[in-house]
Amino acid sequence: AVRLEQVVKTYPGGPTPVVALDGVSLTVPAGAFVAVMGPSGSGKSTFLTCAAGLDRPTSGRVVVGDVDLTALSPDAVTRFRREHVGFVFQGYNLIGHLTVAENVRLPLTLAGTRPDEAWLRELLAAVGLEGLSERLPGELSGGQAQRVAIARALVARPDVVFADEPTGALDGSTADAILRLLRSTAHRFGQTLVLVTHDPRAAAFADQVLFLADGRFRGQLVDPTV
Amino acid sequence: AVRLEQVVKTYPGGPTPVVALDGVSLTVPAGAFVAVMGPSGSGKSTFLTCAAGLDRPTSGRVVVGDVDLTALSPDAVTRFRREHVGFVFQGYNLIGHLTVAENVRLPLTLAGTRPDEAWLRELLAAVGLEGLSERLPGELSGGQAQRVAIARALVARPDVVFADEPTGALDGSTADAILRLLRSTAHRFGQTLVLVTHDPRAAAFADQVLFLADGRFRGQLVDPTV
Ligand SMILES: Nc1ncnc2c1ncn2[C@@H]1O[C@H](COP(=O)(O)OP(=O)(O)OP(=O)(O)O)[C@@H](O)[C@H]1O
Ligand SMILES: Nc1ncnc2c1ncn2[C@@H]1O[C@H](COP(=O)(O)OP(=O)(O)OP(=O)(O)O)[C@@H](O)[C@H]1O
Ligand SMILES: [Mg+2]
Ligand SMILES: [Mg+2]
């Protein structure tokens, strides 16, 4: 359900360009749960934002479902993403002047859909944020803000969920609950789940773990156990 | 070197106030390395910002070195902090239009001191960011930005270093290097080090681990091993 063909991403910075992705080819089957690990600076966030259509590769192709994102106009990619892609950002990217509930509902609001109030309440409870729906992001702890970002990525029941280090700010038992939620939601709605993580315990929830270093995939682990 | 006496911190939000710290008393001896763990939302960041003078308690006393921060004016606290306190923020708080080098030097620039160029280069190399000194924060990976925040907290060789989840965005081996750096720098300059973390491996570097839950310290572990 997610396919990258020879994806290269470079940045102009400095005397020589920075090669963040060095010709990456990868296929993630529909409904699979894949984890991506690698050193800080190895290209994980770049890989995820290119795969999700949030960033445009310098060259190469990105196909989600059967739609070639690299062939669409920026507006068309944005419309496609709103309906089919959920994304948990490494920096959360919450909207400061919107409440927790408004932040979570945002993908549906932008798509012009009325959110199901029962589903919204179920999601907030599942990420442990019941009672915090009227707070502003500035009134939350780091891990609470991270969980708002996770709920927001799931609210539109997208076909593919991309998560950039979604347990980075969470203690062990909260992280565990979140990983179980991501996996069970993916099963329930037949979603493909691509998770970037530094946490081996998070990677152990996946069917497969891929290793990224210097902008290229190196090895993989099938059915990992910790 | 850091003492809290009956520190309470509440926020007005909602029908009842939110009690983030519920009467915390604690003494961290000079030169000690203490880790604080606890669930998301338990008050760790609030504890750290109050202890460092970045936030004012609702009631209670905070003493760093032999200075009562709660008795000083906001300007006096700011001047004290610049010379004596290093702080790694959970959200890094880098200045977007300053380069990596300018961000790291910032505490010295604000204190009107000329930074030692050799020391700056040594710090950047020690956190693995050599070659990135002219980049802007927006051109860094999450873990690279976190390491800029760490270098900045150390540059003024403060008496006390407070770090809020400083390895949250780092892979295992980079995290290890950073923890060794924090510990060795603390020994070298006789610093007190208070580290908030979700990572048991980070906590294992400390002399002592304290557990926070619902705004109160519950238990502790002396000389932890993982
Ligand atoms: N705008 C930019 N200009 C120059 N280099 C950039 C820019 N954005 C990212 N990079 C570089 O691209 C490389 C890959 O970055 P990326 O954010 O994908 O890494 P990552 O694996 O997600 O790291 P982390 O684990 O620290 O989050 C890094 O070396 C980074 O410094
Ligand atoms: N401005 C605010 N208004 C209301 N409640 C707040 C405000 N700021 C923080 N809180 C609450 O105070 C509590 C403690 O927050 P704190 O950031 O100290 O937690 P934490 O232990 O650092 O969590 P994490 O591990 O998720 O970073 C949380 O329940 C949080 O929602
Ligand atoms: Mg990243
Ligand atoms: Mg915190």
Side-chain angles (χ1 to χ4, degrees):
Chain A
V2 180
R3 194 168 78 246
L4 275 69
E5 294 170 12
Q6 283 302 313
V7 169
V8 174
K9 180 70 186 180
T10 60
Y11 295 106
T16 51
V18 178
V19 183
L21 289 180
D22 194 13
V24 167
S25 296
L26 176 75
T27 301
V28 180
F33 179 172
V34 170
V36 174
M37 298 186 81
S40 171
S42 57
K44 302 180 301 298
S45 296
T46 305
F47 157 69
L48 218 64
T49 51
C50 284
L54 281 161
D55 204 0
R56 217 162 176 91
T58 306
S59 66
R61 242 171 125 230
V62 176
V63 182
V64 177
D66 43 22
V67 178
D68 182 346
L69 300 188
T70 32
L72 297 182
S73 71
D75 283 353
V77 175
T78 300
R79 280 193 305 271
F80 175 85
R81 256 199 353 258
R82 256 170 214 166
E83 289 181 45
H84 299 284
V85 175
F87 200 99
V88 184
F89 290 87
Q90 189 167 3
Y92 323 151
N93 291 10
L94 302 185
I95 312 248
H97 62 267
L98 296 183
T99 64
V100 163
E102 289 168 335
N103 265 284
V104 174
R105 271 188 227 128
L106 193 63
L108 294 177
T109 308
L110 291 171
T113 316
R114 279 213 65 75
D116 176 343
E117 282 304 312
W119 167 234
L120 185 65
R121 270 197 312 278
E122 177 184 345
L123 258 184
L124 283 175
V127 296
L129 298 180
E130 63 276 21
L132 299 188
S133 56
E134 302 314 304
R135 291 260 189 103
L136 291 177
E139 300 167 334
L140 297 175
S141 77
Q144 288 167 342
Q146 186 161 49
R147 285 179 275 157
V148 174
I150 291 162
R152 180 178 67 184
L154 299 179
V155 78
R157 303 181 196 187
D159 304 321
V160 190
V161 177
F162 295 97
D164 201 343
E165 300 189 36
T167 60
L170 304 176
D171 56 281
S173 81
T174 308
D176 231 64
I178 287 303
L179 292 163
R180 290 181 199 293
L181 172 71
L182 286 171
R183 190 171 56 184
S184 63
T185 305
H187 281 154
R188 182 175 166 188
F189 301 125
Q191 295 167 327
T192 306
L193 178 50
V194 183
L195 178 90
V196 157
T197 184
H198 285 308
D199 183 357
R201 226 174 24 210
F205 274 74
D207 308 321
Q208 193 175 190
V209 183
L210 301 166
F211 297 91
L212 195 66
D214 298 317
R216 307 175 76 209
F217 282 104
R218 304 290 162 150
Q220 61 185 68
L221 210 63
V222 182
D223 278 338
T225 53
V226 174
Chain B
V2 180
R3 194 167 79 245
L4 275 69
E5 294 171 13
Q6 283 303 312
V7 169
V8 174
K9 180 70 185 182
T10 60
Y11 294 106
T16 50
V18 177
V19 182
L21 289 180
D22 194 13
V24 167
S25 296
L26 176 75
T27 301
V28 180
F33 178 173
V34 170
V36 175
M37 299 185 80
S40 171
S42 56
K44 302 181 300 299
S45 295
T46 305
F47 156 69
L48 218 64
T49 51
C50 284
L54 280 161
D55 204 0
R56 217 164 176 88
T58 307
S59 66
R61 242 171 125 229
V62 176
V63 181
V64 176
D66 42 23
V67 178
D68 183 344
L69 299 188
T70 32
L72 298 181
S73 70
D75 283 352
V77 176
T78 299
R79 282 193 305 271
F80 177 85
R81 260 200 348 261
R82 258 171 213 166
E83 290 182 42
H84 300 284
V85 176
F87 200 100
V88 185
F89 290 87
Q90 188 166 4
Y92 323 152
N93 290 11
L94 301 185
I95 312 252
H97 62 267
L98 296 183
T99 64
V100 164
E102 289 168 335
N103 264 285
V104 174
R105 271 188 227 130
L106 193 63
L108 295 176
T109 308
L110 291 170
T113 316
R114 279 213 64 76
D116 177 343
E117 283 303 313
W119 167 234
L120 186 65
R121 270 197 311 277
E122 177 184 346
L123 258 184
L124 283 175
V127 296
L129 297 179
E130 64 276 21
L132 299 188
S133 57
E134 301 314 303
R135 291 259 189 103
L136 292 176
E139 300 167 334
L140 298 175
S141 78
Q144 290 167 341
Q146 185 162 50
R147 286 178 275 157
V148 175
I150 291 162
R152 181 178 67 185
L154 299 179
V155 77
R157 303 182 196 188
D159 304 323
V160 190
V161 177
F162 295 97
D164 201 343
E165 301 188 35
T167 61
L170 305 177
D171 57 281
S173 80
T174 308
D176 231 65
I178 288 303
L179 292 162
R180 291 182 198 292
L181 171 71
L182 285 170
R183 189 170 56 185
S184 64
T185 305
H187 281 153
R188 182 175 167 189
F189 301 124
Q191 294 166 328
T192 306
L193 178 50
V194 183
L195 178 91
V196 157
T197 185
H198 284 307
D199 182 359
R201 226 175 23 210
F205 275 73
D207 309 322
Q208 194 173 191
V209 184
L210 301 165
F211 297 91
L212 196 65
D214 299 317
R216 307 175 76 210
F217 282 106
R218 303 289 162 153
Q220 61 186 67
L221 211 62
V222 182
D223 279 336
T225 53
V226 174

